[in-house]
Amino acid sequence: MDIVDEAVEVLRMVGVSLEAGLSESELRRIEGTFGFRFGPDHRDLLSRVLPLGKGWVDWRHDSDDEIRMRLDRHKDWVLSYVVENDVWGRTWGERPTSLFEAADIAMRHINTWPTLIPLYAHRYMPAEPTEPGAPVLSVHGLDTIFYGTNLAKYFLTEFRLMDWEPPADYGEDRKPPWSQLEFWFGEPDFW
């Protein structure tokens, strides 16, 4: 049984409402509309089943505006910290005194971050390029952690069938490029 088989099995076991998966044309329309490609596991999951209900993105029926809001939520959180709490990235240079200029610079940096695609609530998977077995990230404000080392382990953790365990195989030397926006179990790259 592969990771996505296990993930679907967990969703069925915990009673998540599942609709028929997205067709290839539906997946291409979503990717074209929003300018990303789903990672392989996320794409495979959505081609098999479409989880529905509170917290899930309804890729088939939600409006483009609703989906865009979910795609941008983690970026909006960071921007709100910049604007409301004087948070500033260490690598962004000197913070301007103008709030509008600071927000503009912050958004330019934030928009260079790799795309994270909402999975469930405030959990995200990286867009391509990733390999099968990509982790799921929990992103809330500036708090970002690996919440599952793959899709199946994430669902087991999310639905409390397994205790959360920090990844043992994602040390600093193996940190994938999309993880640069996550603040690696501790001090954020903001002060």
Side-chain angles (χ1 to χ4, degrees), residues 21-159:
L22 299 171
S23 68
E24 183 60 30
S25 64
E26 287 174 307
L27 288 162
R28 280 195 311 267
R29 186 202 74 77
I30 293 163
E31 292 171 335
T33 298
F34 299 106
F36 66 78
R37 283 195 46 86
F38 288 102
D41 293 339
H42 200 170
R43 190 174 226 283
D44 191 10
L45 172 74
L46 293 174
S47 71
R48 295 183 198 193
V49 296
L50 179 61
L52 297 174
K54 185 176 176 160
W56 296 97
V57 177
D58 185 342
W59 295 101
R60 184 173 283 134
H61 300 108
D62 285 349
S63 71
D64 288 352
D65 288 341
E66 289 172 298
I67 292 171
R68 174 61 60 203
M69 184 184 74
R70 292 283 300 271
L71 282 163
D72 291 342
R73 181 181 294 161
H74 65 286
K75 294 177 181 183
D76 292 342
W77 277 330
V78 174
L79 186 60
S80 74
Y81 278 88
V82 168
V83 171
E84 297 167 18
N85 300 96
D86 293 328
V87 168
W88 194 248
R90 280 191 290 224
T91 61
W92 297 354
E94 189 174 327
R95 182 185 172 102
T97 55
S98 161
L99 192 57
F100 293 109
E101 192 177 340
D104 182 58
I105 291 169
M107 273 315 293
R108 278 189 268 142
H109 284 280
I110 291 166
N111 284 330
T112 67
W113 292 349
T115 301
L116 290 181
I117 304 170
L119 178 61
Y120 173 72
H122 56 275
R123 314 295 195 230
Y124 295 81
M125 291 197 77
E128 279 194 345
T130 60
E131 297 175 7
V136 175
L137 300 174
S138 176
V139 182
H140 194 270
L142 294 181
D143 180 26
T144 302
I145 62 170
F146 283 91
Y147 208 73
T149 54
N150 65 47
L151 192 57
K153 286 185 180 180
Y154 157 67
F155 285 142
L156 288 167
T157 302
E158 183 69 55
F159 298 109

